[in-house]
Amino acid sequence: MGNIISGKEVSTALRAKIREKSLALREDYGIQPGLAVILVGKDPASQIYVRNKQRACEELGFHAFEYKLNENYTQAQLLDLIGVLNKDNKVHGILVQLPLPDHIDSQVIINSIDPSKDVDAFHPVNVGKIMIGNYDFLPCTPAGVMELIDSTGTDLTGKNCVVVGRSNIVGKPMAMLLLHRNATVTICHSKTRNLAEICANADVLVSAVGRAHFIQANMVKEGAVVIDVGMNHDENGKLCGDVEFDEVASKTSYITPVPGGVGPMTITMLMQNTLHAAERKAASRK
Ligand code: GUN
């Protein structure tokens, strides 16, 4: 049986450090990290995420600015609101919860956020910086995955790392972060041939597919580190990842569970990005 990586434990330890730095920033500079979270409409999953972000802000001594807007809020109104938040000195991070309703163009909205406040790292300027390897913000989910891998003490240099999934939010930036750590990286997706064979060659396998039971034991190398980014529901409505955990775990050296693996890390990394934005603000005042 592989060792289970506890996202809860790694996240709790990191949050304690963030809280300490947040309080120090307040004491030394009178700056309280501020995060604006914008939710348009009533998507139930998004409502839960937004509530969790608000709670994390309370726990860490951040100021949460919450905007719960109705479904009919227009793109022009949203652009106006972001314009105001871009100029507000108390707001260090701006997060627009995705998905947005169909009448709003998400990319136009993301492009309107001041890159120095883009704590999701979705703005093209920040995406470009990630590509170069000189970044202000790390995208939250891939950054959380890196923390989990690092908690195992795995040296990534020269390792075969396989990322399954090529989304802008997870797969693509994940591959870049692994590449910056000198791994040999393969990105797989729905059109990949010989998927099982490629996965079975991975020293580190990161699955971000979004399908229950997708990663089976024959796709996993003996002793691999397996990170499951999936958040799915199985036939019984139970929350599960992409990985067939019970049969895969025994082959791995380390594996993340769902729930309790990557999930708890994502908001923690968002908080870390917001703290860094506030710290940069303090440094620019010196
Ligand atoms: N919706 C699902 N995940 C995310 C995320 O990481 N950021 C934002 N803004 N919306 C999301």
Side-chain angles (χ1 to χ4, degrees), residues 12-28 31 33 59-62 275 279:
T12 301
L14 205 51
R15 282 193 190 196
K17 286 188 199 155
I18 295 169
R19 184 178 152 78
E20 220 171 85
K21 288 184 185 165
S22 152
L23 297 180
L25 197 62
R26 217 159 149 180
E27 208 159 292
D28 299 344
I31 292 179
E59 180 192 329
L60 301 182
F62 290 18
L275 172 72
E279 285 176 340

Side-chain angles (χ1 to χ4, degrees), residues 144-196:
V145 171
M146 294 307 285
E147 290 285 339
L148 294 176
I149 295 172
D150 286 343
S151 77
T152 69
T154 302
D155 178 6
L156 290 168
T157 302
K159 293 276 163 64
N160 285 335
C161 294
V162 174
V163 179
V164 191
R166 56 174 157 178
S167 70
N168 289 333
I169 294 183
V170 184
K172 286 186 208 169
M174 186 73 247
M176 280 303 133
L177 300 194
L178 292 164
L179 187 62
H180 294 324
R181 299 283 287 278
N182 300 315
T184 302
V185 184
T186 306
I187 307 178
C188 297
H189 48 80
S190 54
K191 304 280 192 296
T192 297
R193 277 183 264 164
N194 307 325
L195 178 72

Side-chain angles (χ1 to χ4, degrees), residues 42-77:
K42 291 209 155 31
D43 179 64
S46 293
Q47 283 181 320
I48 295 171
Y49 289 140
V50 167
R51 202 179 320 134
N52 288 339
K53 284 164 190 164
Q54 167 106 8
R55 281 206 194 120
C57 283
E58 280 165 20
E59 180 192 329
L60 301 182
F62 290 18
H63 194 154
F65 301 85
E66 210 179 63
Y67 297 86
K68 286 188 175 158
L69 309 168
N70 82 44
E71 234 122 45
N72 303 321
Y73 209 72
T74 66
Q75 179 162 312
Q77 285 175 309

